[in-house]
Amino acid sequence: MKNDDPLLRITNFSVTYDVDPPVEAVCDVDLELQRGEILGLAGESGCGKTTLAYGIQRLLKPPAVITSGDVQFHSANGDIIEIGGLSDRQMRRFRWDKASMVFQGAMNALNPVITIGAQLGDIFKTHRPKMSRTQRNRECGDLLDLVAVGRERLKSYPHQLSGGMRQRVMIAMALALRPELMIMDEPTTALDVLVQRDILRQISQLRREFGFSVVFITHDLPLLLEISDRIAVMREGRIVELDTAANIFHRPQDPYTKTLLSSFPSLTGERGGFVRSGTAKEAMS
Ligand SMILES: Nc1ncnc2c1ncn2[C@@H]1O[C@H](COP(=O)(O)OP(=O)(O)OP(=O)(O)O)[C@@H](O)[C@H]1O
Ligand SMILES: [Mg+2]
């Protein structure tokens, strides 16, 4: 493996929902994700973002059919993993160890009758069975500290936490086994703007600390401009433009990207205001 190898290479990837009439949800997608990169995936509702993410993680169920393509993962330890070639068991391990996912609407997926400490602990029980109880508790506490929920919440039940905290717990779970990639599908959409910003800042910081890559999915383009290194714009199953956040913002090429940008008054009306806000690191360059 060379260091400049991409972490993830998606080639000619297509998914059809085999309904009547069939829906070509993802068409011929080619995409490379670099190590340590935050790649934003933007596009309006129904353009195929979640289908692509599920496809990468082999989580699609009928009527979805992968009609073409490969997904290759270059692990830091030198392993080249062909995702299509993994057994179901290997795939389950891969999903926690190498490439975890925070699902759309995930914060409502916590089990309401089990403490968040126990739900975090279950990940280690399953995937690190030799870990002692003491170490497990320490790891769970560390994770809650890491996402700014705080280890004092280990014994809390989901309903005792705010939406933002529950979402942070989901991020802690995705981080538990130190994956090389986190795919986040609309991870903060249900939260208020300040909480969203706070969580995103934290993801950026954790990324710097641990060096993982992120595929961040949302239809919120302004948000992506703030946090992404590069942005892929998706329309009707295809990636119509892929460029640095700065180029997407200042020099969009595809007409659809321009339309998408112009649909956010905060970007067009107060264009300068957004850039001067100080958080758009890429867009400022
Ligand atoms: N189970 C299914 N059966 C048939 N069609 C489906 C199914 N799931 C998704 N689709 C269709 O596939 C296309 C892509 O859907 P997908 O959920 O991937 O879009 P998305 O970009 O994630 O949208 P959103 O922003 O609303 O989450 C849409 O046209 C959708 O209607
Ligand atoms: Mg979706």
Side-chain angles (χ1 to χ4, degrees):
M1 184 197 71
K2 298 196 298 292
N3 263 345
D4 54 357
D5 271 349
L7 176 68
L8 190 73
R9 181 179 282 144
I10 301 166
T11 319
N12 188 225
F13 198 75
S14 304
V15 179
T16 298
Y17 288 98
D18 199 4
V19 287
D20 192 18
V23 179
E24 293 189 356
V26 174
C27 311
D28 274 340
V29 165
D30 289 309
L31 193 61
E32 288 190 353
L33 178 71
Q34 305 303 321
R35 236 162 263 286
E37 173 178 48
I38 297 187
L39 178 83
L41 185 58
E44 64 199 354
S45 185
C47 73
K49 304 180 297 294
T50 297
T51 305
L52 178 59
Y54 273 50
I56 296 170
Q57 291 271 26
R58 285 226 338 242
L59 289 166
L60 293 168
K61 294 194 176 69
V65 182
I66 297 176
T67 53
S68 73
D70 297 302
V71 179
Q72 210 181 49
F73 187 90
H74 293 233
S75 182
N77 65 10
D79 289 348
I80 297 180
I81 301 167
E82 295 283 353
I83 292 181
L86 297 180
S87 67
D88 288 349
R89 190 160 164 269
Q90 288 169 321
M91 195 64 220
R92 273 194 297 276
R93 274 191 62 176
F94 176 85
R95 258 179 237 132
W96 286 100
D97 271 325
K98 303 283 188 192
S100 64
M101 182 139 174
V102 179
F103 293 96
Q104 203 164 356
M107 65 188 188
N108 301 317
L110 288 163
N111 189 326
V113 297
I114 301 179
T115 65
I116 57 169
Q119 295 189 58
L120 271 168
D122 278 345
I123 300 170
F124 294 107
K125 271 191 197 164
T126 307
H127 297 271
R128 301 284 184 271
K130 288 186 188 139
M131 191 183 274
S132 70
R133 174 194 281 257
T134 317
Q135 195 189 344
R136 205 162 59 222
N137 287 340
R138 192 170 54 236
E139 292 273 349
C140 293
D142 288 350
L143 278 167
L144 289 186
D145 283 345
L146 207 59
V147 295
V149 169
R151 62 201 320 125
E152 65 277 9
R153 296 290 192 159
L154 276 170
K155 293 207 158 63
S156 296
Y157 289 90
H159 75 268
Q160 295 172 314
L161 304 179
S162 66
M165 278 185 163
R166 289 204 302 276
Q167 193 60 348
R168 287 168 194 272
V169 171
M170 297 310 295
I171 293 167
M173 292 177 114
L175 281 171
L177 303 184
R178 301 281 184 263
E180 293 172 56
L181 167 65
M182 256 213 292
I183 299 178
M184 313 185 87
D185 191 0
E186 305 268 10
T188 59
T189 317
L191 304 172
D192 79 57
V193 176
L194 288 179
V195 178
Q196 270 193 25
R197 290 286 184 280
D198 211 30
I199 292 181
L200 292 172
R201 223 168 285 136
Q202 199 133 33
I203 292 166
S204 289
Q205 195 185 325
L206 290 169
R207 188 264 306 240
R208 273 194 295 277
E209 203 169 321
F210 297 110
F212 54 80
S213 308
V214 181
V215 175
F216 195 98
I217 300 174
T218 176
H219 53 259
D220 187 344
L221 191 55
L223 198 69
L224 283 187
L225 286 165
E226 285 193 40
I227 62 156
S228 309
D229 298 306
R230 290 188 306 153
I231 295 176
V233 179
M234 203 166 169
R235 184 191 190 195
E236 293 176 3
R238 296 177 189 276
I239 292 188
V240 294
E241 186 160 2
L242 173 63
D243 212 330
T244 61
N247 280 342
I248 292 282
F249 183 63
H250 292 294
R251 291 171 284 278
Q253 300 296 314
D254 191 87
Y256 179 68
T257 309
K258 291 176 191 168
T259 311
L260 207 57
L261 283 165
S262 69
S263 67
F264 290 97
S266 60
L267 291 181
T268 47
E270 303 169 62
R271 213 172 150 102
F274 167 72
V275 174
R276 278 196 302 272
S277 73
T279 40
K281 64 180 165 55
E282 276 284 333
M284 277 189 294
S285 61

